[in-house]
Amino acid sequence: MRCPYLKQQGTTKVLMVHDKPFVMLAGELHNSNSSTPEAMEASCQKAVELGMNSVIATLSWELIEPEEDCFDFSTVDMVVETARKHGLKLELIWFGSWKNAQCAYAPAWVKRDLERFPRAEMQKGKRSGRMEILGAVNYSTLSYLGEETRAADAKAFRAVMAHIREIDSEENTVLMMQVENETGVLTAAREHSARADELFYGPAPAALVQYLKAHTENMAADVKAEVEKGAETGTWEECFGAVAEEIFSAFCVSSYVNAVASAGKAAYDIPMSANCWLEQGKAGDYPSGGPVARVMEVWQFSAPAIDVLAPDIYIPAFCAVCEEYTKNGNPLFIPEIATHAYAGVRQLYAVGRHHAVCYAPFGFEDIGRPFLGMSGVGMDLTDPALSTRQDAAEYREITAALRSMLHKIAPKLGTDDLQAVSSEQGREQKLVLGDFGFTVKMGADGTAREQAPGGALVLKESEDTFWLLCVNCAPTPFSNVPQKPYWDYLDVEEGYFEADGRWHATLRRNGDEIAVMRFGAPTILRVKLFAYGD
């Protein structure tokens, strides 16, 4: 049986599992919750309670290879078996050389050998430095120029992938792998070791320069300007000007990650992703060299073994980030997002608007628990929804409704027949789907819910028939045909999909109950329309 793969479908890429489209309505475990059977079991139970069909869990190099060339796959087996027992699919994260731009999960035998496995010198001659952003006294990470480090990481990852193939190639519990975590370096835009200086002040690779000059259409404005005015050949600074240091780091980091991913794919070729800590401030304030949107073109050139570049979203600009990470043919994959009150509506939006491969709140185990907010990571706490934890019942209802619609959603991925809007775009939005459209006003009733997160997913089944999933909003149809400006309802049903995909109508709406339709709790509608002229 074929292993999971990505397939182009219309305008996007779709994850195929057993040759059928699969959307990961997932959650990412707290980092340590995949380290023991008890913690993994509790997390999987919570995922099932929330209606998820997948989870994202970690594998750490230090547990897989505690001594060099001595591999222990018991953690892998436990994670796969526990997820499988609960009917959940997996993406596994390889915590190898990087986790949050640090080397916390590298084995002790790697950490101790500073000569064989060099640390990054973010200041000349210094292997560590002060970094306030993570509350750490010392910042230290493995050098992205360490050839033996890269080889050791790749060897361990290949061994992991060979083992996953052995235990899972038929079942396909493991759908994807994330290679490393939030790669890059902090406190400066590039490393400053003697080797780093030698490379940086030497010639930039001609093939990279040519590729970037040929792919400027969707670049960040400042990167595009520097690439276009830069020299065709020369040093990194001559070719890339003010952005040379970040491009240098991106080239080095992506080449390193590509070597690790390629080794893994040689053993078991399933889709692989690389996630990023979003840019905030200047390179070095966020991990310089990681796969942020501004250097996506560098990663797509240097890391062809990485299929998806994925944002970890903890900032308010959710819709803008989604747009950034769907450029250049990159499918939207959100492995981490905050568990505040927007979490459920954002899932609806990501799947409906951008046809996301995956959506996963980080630390989903906390959904429904008291929440003190996300201050310190770019949150705008003037929006109450950003300092309020997602309600567990609402998240479960949104996820369950989406999951029940996946058989309808799957064939529409990559087409304009599947669209969505969110209150984060504004309190009134319009969707056009052929001959008809919908005006969606956010807010269910005029009470405090009026400003609560809302959204709507609309799927066109035929020219006159639509499926809607509404949360805290009021949808109203309109005709999109100038010669037929008037419209009427032919049929409006409210209900749910059975486990086998059959529609079960619980209410047929008409008369006063369709004049103004407002929905607070997640609600699925089947709407049939008619348009006519004078």
Side-chain angles (χ1 to χ4, degrees):
M1 189 173 287
R2 190 172 183 181
C3 65
Y5 62 100
L6 290 172
K7 174 185 177 182
Q8 188 72 36
Q9 180 172 303
T11 59
T12 193
K13 293 184 178 73
V14 176
L15 177 61
M16 304 294 288
V17 182
H18 295 155
D19 290 324
K20 295 180 180 179
F22 189 89
V23 178
M24 297 177 69
L25 306 179
E28 182 171 326
L29 279 68
H30 279 296
N31 296 152
S32 299
N33 282 7
S34 59
S35 63
T36 67
E38 293 81 5
M40 183 69 188
E41 173 69 23
S43 292
C44 286
Q45 288 180 6
K46 178 75 171 185
V48 172
E49 290 170 9
L50 292 171
M52 296 170 174
N53 62 14
S54 311
V55 292
I56 301 176
T58 61
L59 300 175
S60 63
W61 187 5
E62 64 178 351
L63 294 179
I64 299 295
E65 194 180 9
E67 296 180 23
E68 189 168 9
D69 294 324
C70 295
F71 294 101
D72 179 355
F73 299 117
S74 59
T75 302
V76 183
D77 294 339
M78 179 272 293
V79 169
V80 172
E81 289 168 5
T82 307
R84 189 180 291 169
K85 181 180 77 171
H86 290 280
L88 296 166
K89 298 296 186 182
L90 282 165
E91 183 189 50
L92 295 175
I93 304 174
W94 175 240
F95 279 0
S97 296
W98 281 283
K99 197 280 180 187
N100 289 18
Q102 298 186 84
C103 57
Y105 288 82
W109 55 270
V110 170
K111 291 178 180 177
R112 288 194 182 106
D113 195 336
L114 300 177
E115 300 305 316
R116 184 181 169 197
F117 307 115
R119 299 296 176 102
E121 292 182 24
M122 303 314 296
Q123 297 180 57
K124 181 72 67 180
K126 294 187 177 181
R127 289 170 171 158
S128 69
R130 189 171 182 82
M131 183 186 62
E132 298 291 348
I133 191 168
L134 291 181
V137 174
N138 293 312
Y139 169 69
S140 184
T141 192
L142 294 164
S143 171
Y144 52 56
L145 300 174
E147 295 181 4
E148 287 207 51
T149 318
R150 181 181 63 210
D153 192 336
K155 182 177 68 174
F157 187 61
R158 180 182 178 120
V160 167
M161 295 307 297
H163 184 73
I164 291 172
R165 177 173 183 167
E166 181 182 336
I167 66 171
D168 194 52
S169 58
E170 292 295 322
E171 185 77 14
N172 289 180
T173 301
V174 181
L175 306 184
M176 294 184 64
M177 297 295 295
Q178 180 183 298
V179 187
E180 314 293 348
N181 178 267
E182 295 185 355
T183 56
V185 291
L186 289 163
T187 73
R190 70 170 179 90
E191 294 188 25
H192 287 274
S193 64
R195 177 59 175 158
D197 286 351
E198 178 186 0
L199 292 172
F200 183 72
Y201 294 116
L208 172 66
V209 178
Q210 293 168 8
Y211 179 89
L212 294 184
K213 284 185 174 293
H215 293 82
T216 60
E217 182 179 358
N218 297 315
M219 279 183 179
D222 64 321
V223 177
K224 179 178 181 178
E226 296 294 339
V227 169
E228 288 182 339
K229 74 181 182 183
E232 297 281 346
T233 59
T235 67
W236 290 84
E237 286 183 320
E238 289 169 338
C239 293
F240 303 123
V243 296
E245 291 192 320
E246 186 172 11
I247 289 181
F248 173 79
S249 288
F251 176 76
C252 294
V253 174
S254 59
S255 298
Y256 187 118
V257 172
N258 187 66
V260 176
S262 296
K265 282 194 167 186
Y268 187 36
D269 189 5
I270 62 174
M272 298 197 178
S273 68
N275 72 323
C276 70
W277 172 337
L278 293 178
E279 57 188 272
Q280 296 175 72
K282 64 183 186 300
D285 295 336
Y286 60 90
S288 181
V292 294
R294 61 187 281 103
V295 292
M296 182 182 287
E297 290 81 3
V298 179
W299 273 76
Q300 290 180 325
F301 170 80
S302 303
I306 295 298
D307 301 283
V308 182
L309 302 178
D312 293 348
I313 307 177
Y314 297 96
I315 63 174
F318 170 72
C319 296
V321 171
C322 289
E323 291 288 345
E324 282 189 307
Y325 285 84
T326 53
K327 70 176 184 177
N328 300 341
N330 188 62
L332 184 63
F333 188 110
I334 302 175
E336 295 186 33
I337 195 162
T339 56
H340 54 57
Y342 280 112
V345 168
R346 285 181 170 185
Q347 179 176 228
L348 178 153
Y349 178 82
V351 173
R353 170 67 178 87
H354 292 288
H355 307 179
V357 172
C358 174
Y359 178 93
F362 173 75
F364 69 88
E365 300 96 332
D366 294 334
I367 288 176
R369 296 174 181 169
F371 188 40
L372 299 178
M374 295 292 293
S375 59
V377 290
M379 284 303 182
D380 174 11
L381 296 184
T382 61
D383 184 342
L386 294 174
S387 57
T388 304
R389 183 80 75 183
Q390 169 69 63
D391 177 73
E394 181 183 72
Y395 195 87
R396 177 172 59 251
E397 290 170 3
I398 293 174
T399 305
L402 268 175
R403 188 171 177 179
S404 76
M405 295 179 69
L406 288 180
H407 66 293
K408 295 287 186 182
I409 289 171
K412 301 296 185 178
L413 295 170
T415 76
D416 289 336
D417 290 347
L418 177 63
Q419 299 184 36
V421 290
S422 163
S423 57
E424 290 186 85
Q425 299 170 287
R427 304 309 295 184
E428 181 173 323
Q429 299 292 315
K430 289 184 182 294
L431 293 170
V432 176
L433 301 95
D435 290 348
F436 294 96
F438 291 85
T439 299
V440 182
K441 294 183 179 180
M442 305 301 168
D445 51 26
T447 66
R449 287 283 302 171
E450 193 71 21
Q451 296 302 316
L457 176 151
V458 181
L459 185 153
K460 185 175 85 170
E461 184 162 74
S462 64
E463 284 305 319
D464 65 356
T465 303
F466 303 86
W467 296 98
L468 282 71
L469 172 53
C470 301
V471 180
N472 194 37
C473 69
T476 304
F478 61 85
S479 171
N480 193 45
V481 179
Q483 298 79 11
K484 299 179 178 180
Y486 311 118
W487 62 272
D488 204 349
Y489 291 111
L490 295 181
D491 187 11
V492 179
E493 292 180 343
E494 184 177 324
Y496 62 90
F497 288 100
E498 303 275 8
D500 61 5
R502 289 183 298 170
W503 171 244
H504 182 92
T506 58
L507 184 70
R508 182 182 175 90
R509 287 180 171 266
N510 210 329
D512 295 345
E513 292 181 342
I514 59 172
V516 177
M517 293 193 294
R518 293 180 178 272
F519 303 96
T523 304
I524 302 176
L525 301 173
R526 179 183 180 273
V527 177
K528 191 167 186 176
L529 301 170
F530 169 69
Y532 58 98
D534 290 322

